[in-house]
Amino acid sequence: MAVRVPKLKGAVFESAVIERYRRREESVEEALIDMYLAGVSTRRVDDISQALWGERMPSQTLSDQLKKVYAQIDQWRERPLSQPYPYVFMDGVWHKRSWGGAVENVSVLVAIGIGMDGHREVIGVAEGMKEDTQSWRSFVSSLISRGLIGVRMVTGDRCAGLVSTVGELLPEARYQRCMVHFMRNVLAKVSPRHTRWAADALKAIFAMESRGSALTKAGQVASELEERKLREAAKCLREGIDETTTYLMESYPVEHRRRIRTNNMIERLNREIRRRTRVVGSFPDGRSALMLISARIRYVTANDWSARRYLDMSRLHDTIQEAS
């Protein structure tokens, strides 16, 4: 529809809705970019753009607009960390990207910290390639250079690179292997007819109120596994139970145990990331994957996710005082 411009003698007409020489309204354009970051495909954004103002927004145009957003994301990723984070959760989310002419699975490393104010915050996002020792060392080193201090526990899955990096770069922190992942690892070595019994036995271990009783119970369960000819499961249990019961140490408050013993918080965030990356399929390069995943994380955590207090950290303060 054609818009007629008023004829004003001696004055220049300017619209209060759209600036002079602009063919699109900026807020609508920003809304289209937000739709893309929220999970709408580039093709769908193109269709909506045509429906709104009769012009298409091809992927290259959208990419040019996203560069402004990506500059803000880089500032967010590299921001200084302004408080101690006693609890840090780390994991990697896998995605497909082009590499050397082939499509391969690579990882983006994510770290969530719980500060002394009790609020959780995404404190790091970086491309990690294969989640090897070098990737984890580079990732944790970047966090330290930005001001990461006061770490007392790092929770993550069983990754040799992460465990060794925590011991090397965060010597005051203890490593907590994710309880849920550990149980899955043990149950994967149990035959189907023993699965229910084994699951109940493992739950009984982690229901113990002290670390000593949990280790004792684990020894009993391992012996029963061996009696049932489940030697691989028993071996897995014996090898991993020590680092999976770190949360039961007296230096961590009882009120915090349920939330610091698993990586469920970051796993839920990873599910939101995968929901967005599935729309893309494979990324053309690591930069585009990192930016989109970072944008998705900011989008998901922009609500009361980070505004609501996650833990009462006064409990940890009291525990530290009692220990000293």
Side-chain angles (χ1 to χ4, degrees):
M1 180 181 68
V3 179
R4 299 180 63 185
V5 180
K7 295 181 179 180
L8 304 175
K9 185 178 292 186
V12 178
F13 173 76
E14 292 187 4
S15 170
V17 179
I18 302 178
E19 297 178 7
R20 197 178 186 190
Y21 304 120
R22 281 189 62 86
R23 302 178 67 181
R24 297 172 176 166
E25 207 282 312
E26 187 172 357
S27 62
V28 177
E29 200 166 76
E30 292 175 351
L32 291 175
I33 294 175
D34 288 341
M35 288 170 56
Y36 172 75
L37 297 178
V40 180
S41 65
T42 55
R43 181 176 298 178
R44 184 58 179 157
V45 170
D46 189 15
D47 294 339
I48 294 173
S49 174
Q50 186 177 31
L52 285 174
W53 51 53
E55 293 185 8
R56 308 196 71 89
M57 180 179 279
S59 57
Q60 184 58 51
T61 304
L62 179 61
S63 177
D64 293 338
Q65 294 295 327
L66 285 171
K67 289 180 181 178
K68 302 176 184 177
V69 180
Y70 290 165
Q72 299 173 2
I73 292 174
D74 279 333
Q75 292 179 357
W76 172 74
R77 288 178 53 246
E78 298 167 4
R79 73 192 184 281
L81 302 176
S82 58
Q83 65 171 321
Y85 295 90
Y87 301 128
V88 176
F89 303 78
M90 296 187 186
D91 200 0
V93 54
W94 290 86
H95 63 277
K96 295 183 182 296
R97 59 157 283 191
S98 299
W99 183 258
V103 176
E104 294 186 359
N105 289 324
V106 293
S107 177
V108 168
L109 307 181
V110 180
I112 298 176
I114 301 179
M116 286 304 296
D117 58 2
H119 294 269
R120 48 187 172 171
E121 176 186 349
V122 177
I123 59 175
V125 185
E127 189 172 14
M129 297 306 294
K130 297 297 183 182
E131 280 194 62
D132 54 7
T133 302
Q134 182 178 355
S135 299
W136 282 116
R137 184 180 291 116
S138 176
F139 182 55
V140 175
S141 296
S142 68
L143 294 175
I144 294 173
S145 66
R146 288 169 45 215
L148 178 64
I149 58 173
V151 182
R152 299 179 63 83
M153 174 184 283
V154 175
T155 303
D157 194 7
R158 185 64 173 94
C159 174
L162 176 57
V163 176
S164 61
T165 298
V166 170
E168 177 185 348
L169 300 180
L170 299 171
E172 296 182 359
R174 294 188 178 95
Y175 183 76
Q176 165 64 34
R177 182 174 178 178
C178 176
M179 184 196 74
V180 174
H181 284 89
F182 175 67
M183 290 179 63
R184 290 173 183 168
N185 294 150
V186 175
L187 292 175
K189 303 179 185 302
V190 175
S191 58
R193 68 191 186 95
H194 294 296
T195 299
R196 185 167 184 176
W197 168 83
D200 292 338
L202 291 174
K203 290 177 183 178
I205 295 173
F206 298 109
M208 295 295 172
E209 296 183 358
S210 69
R211 190 164 187 259
S213 58
L215 294 176
T216 301
K217 181 65 176 177
Q220 296 171 357
V221 173
S223 298
E224 291 184 50
L225 286 169
E226 290 171 340
E227 292 175 2
R228 295 170 183 253
K229 310 300 182 183
L230 302 171
R231 295 184 180 84
E232 288 299 318
K235 180 182 178 182
C236 182
L237 176 59
R238 292 185 190 278
E239 290 178 349
I241 191 60
D242 189 65
E243 62 186 4
T244 313
T245 54
T246 304
Y247 74 98
L248 288 172
M249 289 183 172
E250 295 180 356
S251 53
Y252 305 106
V254 174
E255 295 84 358
H256 292 182
R257 290 177 177 176
R258 185 175 61 86
R259 288 187 164 176
I260 64 175
R261 66 182 182 177
T262 74
N263 228 10
N264 288 350
M265 173 173 55
I266 200 167
E267 283 293 326
R268 284 192 291 269
L269 183 60
N270 283 347
R271 283 198 295 270
E272 292 296 330
I273 295 171
R274 293 188 185 98
R275 187 177 301 172
R276 179 62 187 92
T277 55
R278 276 198 300 267
V279 177
V280 178
S282 61
F283 292 90
D285 54 62
R287 172 70 176 175
S288 61
L290 178 60
M291 289 297 100
L292 182 56
I293 290 174
S294 299
R296 181 60 180 171
I297 290 174
R298 290 192 68 187
Y299 178 85
V300 172
T301 59
N303 50 22
D304 61 348
W305 188 91
S306 56
R308 185 175 64 251
R309 192 176 70 170
Y310 191 70
L311 288 175
D312 180 3
M313 299 303 285
S314 65
R315 303 291 186 181
L316 179 62
H317 179 74
D318 294 341
T319 302
I320 295 173
Q321 292 294 327
E322 292 173 3
S324 60

